[in-house]
Amino acid sequence: MTHSIPSFAIAPFSIARVPRIEFGAGAIAKLPELAERYGRSLLLVTGQRAFVESPAGERLFAALEARGLSWRHVRVGGEPSPQFVDEQVALLRGTPIDAVIGIGGGSALDAAKAIAGLLRPGNSVMDHLEGVGPELPYRGPATPFIAVPTTAGTGSEATRNAVLSVQGADGFKKSFRDDALVAEWAVVDPDLLASCPPELIAADGMDAFTQLLESFVSTRANPVTDALARSGIMAIKDALLSLYREQSAAARDKMAYASLMSGICLAQTGLGSVHGLAAPLGAFFPIPHGVVCGTLAATATAVNIAAMEAREPDNPALPKYAEIGRRFAMQKGLNGKDARDYLVTTLRQWETQLELPRLSAYRITSADFSRIVANSRGSSMKTNPIVLTDAEITGILEARL
């Protein structure tokens, strides 16, 4: 007896380079051996204090020293700027550096990634920033880069872009992006999340969730990223509130995994309306990126769904939103609008439970909306599942003022 294989089409897709990955509690212990493969002179890029002054940091420095490795140390305070990257590259030019190790949150990893990309060429990062300056192609070569995240949110350990910011009235938030910038290794140790305060867990966790959901419904989604996004989304559903309320090893594992999946997915698919708005909001106002994601996620999802139901009822993102609502509800018979409503309701509950601040907490007013909307249509908005009108984008901001 023969069984026929169901016939369905899989559209062509591409998967770009991802890092080699070491994941698991205690994985940071493998870092000295991995680094030594590239040479004995290292550059460590970290945040200001949290990791450096932690027991994990002390153990790592002792292990590097025991292997006879030497290193220079750069500390990143806040989101890195193009000026910061250029200054560090200029200071380090001529210094023999075999590998760059970034340890920290997204800011430290993005700074390390950009510095690793420019140490050898020596030119300004402004030559390559998207939407700023000449946008010259990056020729390399990059210095080998190892990424060690200490938060669960940005997924920068798995992406090919370094996000750099200039804050203020004429500010911007843009990416230096190239496949050559992808880390050689991503060392993801969930134990490093143990020192994260609740407000950072909330913001970073919602950043990871938004990246996963936007990747899942992106116009560039594919079967591989769909599978990874589903698993990451469900890990966050199981773990985010638990980790926010009380630390546990199981919750740390799931959130670190979800963050890693979010980085892999967004690198392949692009993002959506929340991240489209996050760029100008983060450039013009001192609002943390994760807070933007968390405070806008529910409303932006609701606006996307309403726009598609009204104008594009056959849009393939609609059943995807319904699928996540059904998985969240754990009700096999929940479909269509009811399932999508369940998803939005859940996200609104998360807003409250995670105590996510509104935009007005950062001195954003309705007078700022036109400027924010005008600057929101960058690369992230281009892969949103539907083209939103200016009025719809403004509505997202109004709802969360």
mmCIF file of all heavy atoms in Angstrom, residues 60 91 115 119 185 199 230 239 244 266 316 332 366 380:
data_model
loop_
_atom_site.group_PDB
_atom_site.id
_atom_site.type_symbol
_atom_site.label_atom_id
_atom_site.label_comp_id
_atom_site.label_asym_id
_atom_site.label_seq_id
_atom_site.Cartn_x
_atom_site.Cartn_y
_atom_site.Cartn_z
ATOM 1 N N LEU A 60 35.545 35.011 34.751
ATOM 2 C CA LEU A 60 36.003 35.057 33.366
ATOM 3 C C LEU A 60 37.380 35.698 33.266
ATOM 4 O O LEU A 60 38.274 35.165 32.585
ATOM 5 C CB LEU A 60 35.013 35.841 32.506
ATOM 6 C CG LEU A 60 35.469 36.059 31.056
ATOM 7 C CD1 LEU A 60 35.610 34.728 30.322
ATOM 8 C CD2 LEU A 60 34.518 36.987 30.319
ATOM 9 N N LEU A 91 41.395 55.060 18.596
ATOM 10 C CA LEU A 91 42.275 54.793 19.737
ATOM 11 C C LEU A 91 42.972 53.442 19.624
ATOM 12 O O LEU A 91 44.105 53.272 20.079
ATOM 13 C CB LEU A 91 41.466 54.838 21.038
ATOM 14 C CG LEU A 91 41.042 56.216 21.548
ATOM 15 C CD1 LEU A 91 40.049 56.072 22.698
ATOM 16 C CD2 LEU A 91 42.263 57.009 22.003
ATOM 17 N N ILE A 115 32.723 47.984 16.236
ATOM 18 C CA ILE A 115 34.172 48.147 16.405
ATOM 19 C C ILE A 115 34.915 47.004 15.720
ATOM 20 O O ILE A 115 35.916 47.228 15.010
ATOM 21 C CB ILE A 115 34.528 48.239 17.900
ATOM 22 C CG1 ILE A 115 33.975 49.539 18.498
ATOM 23 C CG2 ILE A 115 36.040 48.156 18.100
ATOM 24 C CD1 ILE A 115 34.024 49.593 20.015
ATOM 25 N N LEU A 119 37.894 47.884 12.956
ATOM 26 C CA LEU A 119 39.263 47.934 13.461
ATOM 27 C C LEU A 119 40.289 47.798 12.344
ATOM 28 O O LEU A 119 41.291 48.509 12.317
ATOM 29 C CB LEU A 119 39.490 46.810 14.486
ATOM 30 C CG LEU A 119 39.046 47.088 15.923
ATOM 31 C CD1 LEU A 119 39.246 45.839 16.767
ATOM 32 C CD2 LEU A 119 39.822 48.259 16.509
ATOM 33 N N TRP A 185 30.844 33.340 17.064
ATOM 34 C CA TRP A 185 30.197 32.525 18.089
ATOM 35 C C TRP A 185 29.206 33.383 18.868
ATOM 36 O O TRP A 185 29.503 34.533 19.187
ATOM 37 C CB TRP A 185 31.224 31.963 19.084
ATOM 38 C CG TRP A 185 32.118 30.908 18.520
ATOM 39 C CD1 TRP A 185 33.318 31.101 17.907
ATOM 40 C CD2 TRP A 185 31.880 29.501 18.520
ATOM 41 N NE1 TRP A 185 33.853 29.905 17.519
ATOM 42 C CE2 TRP A 185 32.994 28.895 17.882
ATOM 43 C CE3 TRP A 185 30.846 28.687 19.001
ATOM 44 C CZ2 TRP A 185 33.095 27.520 17.705
ATOM 45 C CZ3 TRP A 185 30.945 27.305 18.828
ATOM 46 C CH2 TRP A 185 32.063 26.744 18.176
ATOM 47 N N GLU A 199 12.377 45.486 35.924
ATOM 48 C CA GLU A 199 12.002 46.399 34.846
ATOM 49 C C GLU A 199 12.787 46.114 33.561
ATOM 50 O O GLU A 199 12.269 46.288 32.451
ATOM 51 C CB GLU A 199 12.189 47.855 35.269
ATOM 52 C CG GLU A 199 13.597 48.288 35.593
ATOM 53 C CD GLU A 199 14.012 48.018 37.039
ATOM 54 O OE1 GLU A 199 13.302 47.267 37.744
ATOM 55 O OE2 GLU A 199 15.041 48.574 37.458
ATOM 56 N N ARG A 230 7.669 30.464 16.265
ATOM 57 C CA ARG A 230 6.658 29.791 17.102
ATOM 58 C C ARG A 230 7.264 29.312 18.417
ATOM 59 O O ARG A 230 6.693 29.516 19.492
ATOM 60 C CB ARG A 230 6.081 28.573 16.365
ATOM 61 C CG ARG A 230 5.073 28.853 15.304
ATOM 62 C CD ARG A 230 4.471 27.559 14.801
ATOM 63 N NE ARG A 230 3.677 27.798 13.612
ATOM 64 C CZ ARG A 230 4.119 27.619 12.364
ATOM 65 N NH1 ARG A 230 5.358 27.192 12.154
ATOM 66 N NH2 ARG A 230 3.327 27.876 11.333
ATOM 67 N N ALA A 239 7.359 31.888 30.136
ATOM 68 C CA ALA A 239 8.405 32.292 31.075
ATOM 69 C C ALA A 239 8.461 33.758 31.451
ATOM 70 O O ALA A 239 8.987 34.091 32.510
ATOM 71 C CB ALA A 239 9.771 31.880 30.498
ATOM 72 N N TYR A 244 9.724 37.765 35.515
ATOM 73 C CA TYR A 244 9.501 39.113 36.015
ATOM 74 C C TYR A 244 9.168 39.103 37.512
ATOM 75 O O TYR A 244 9.630 39.962 38.265
ATOM 76 C CB TYR A 244 8.360 39.763 35.229
ATOM 77 C CG TYR A 244 7.972 41.147 35.688
ATOM 78 C CD1 TYR A 244 8.811 42.230 35.482
ATOM 79 C CD2 TYR A 244 6.748 41.370 36.320
ATOM 80 C CE1 TYR A 244 8.444 43.505 35.893
ATOM 81 C CE2 TYR A 244 6.373 42.641 36.727
ATOM 82 C CZ TYR A 244 7.229 43.703 36.515
ATOM 83 O OH TYR A 244 6.866 44.963 36.931
ATOM 84 N N LEU A 266 14.723 37.797 13.095
ATOM 85 C CA LEU A 266 14.687 39.155 12.538
ATOM 86 C C LEU A 266 15.787 39.362 11.505
ATOM 87 O O LEU A 266 15.617 40.134 10.552
ATOM 88 C CB LEU A 266 14.762 40.200 13.654
ATOM 89 C CG LEU A 266 16.119 40.515 14.303
ATOM 90 C CD1 LEU A 266 16.887 41.578 13.533
ATOM 91 C CD2 LEU A 266 15.919 40.987 15.743
ATOM 92 N N PRO A 316 -2.101 36.752 4.418
ATOM 93 C CA PRO A 316 -1.663 35.537 5.122
ATOM 94 C C PRO A 316 -1.260 35.772 6.568
ATOM 95 O O PRO A 316 -1.130 34.808 7.341
ATOM 96 C CB PRO A 316 -0.470 35.055 4.287
ATOM 97 C CG PRO A 316 -0.008 36.252 3.510
ATOM 98 C CD PRO A 316 -1.233 37.059 3.265
ATOM 99 N N LYS A 332 -8.131 24.400 20.800
ATOM 100 C CA LYS A 332 -7.980 23.990 19.404
ATOM 101 C C LYS A 332 -9.065 24.556 18.504
ATOM 102 O O LYS A 332 -8.841 24.800 17.322
ATOM 103 C CB LYS A 332 -7.960 22.462 19.305
ATOM 104 C CG LYS A 332 -6.695 21.829 19.865
ATOM 105 C CD LYS A 332 -6.707 20.317 19.651
ATOM 106 C CE LYS A 332 -5.421 19.694 20.184
ATOM 107 N NZ LYS A 332 -5.419 18.206 20.000
ATOM 108 N N SER A 366 1.370 64.815 21.928
ATOM 109 C CA SER A 366 0.723 64.696 20.618
ATOM 110 C C SER A 366 1.346 65.637 19.590
ATOM 111 O O SER A 366 1.277 65.382 18.385
ATOM 112 C CB SER A 366 -0.774 64.956 20.736
ATOM 113 O OG SER A 366 -1.019 66.233 21.301
ATOM 114 N N SER A 380 12.249 48.590 8.872
ATOM 115 C CA SER A 380 11.344 47.722 9.635
ATOM 116 C C SER A 380 9.908 47.837 9.140
ATOM 117 O O SER A 380 9.205 46.834 8.985
ATOM 118 C CB SER A 380 11.404 48.062 11.127
ATOM 119 O OG SER A 380 12.643 47.688 11.674
#
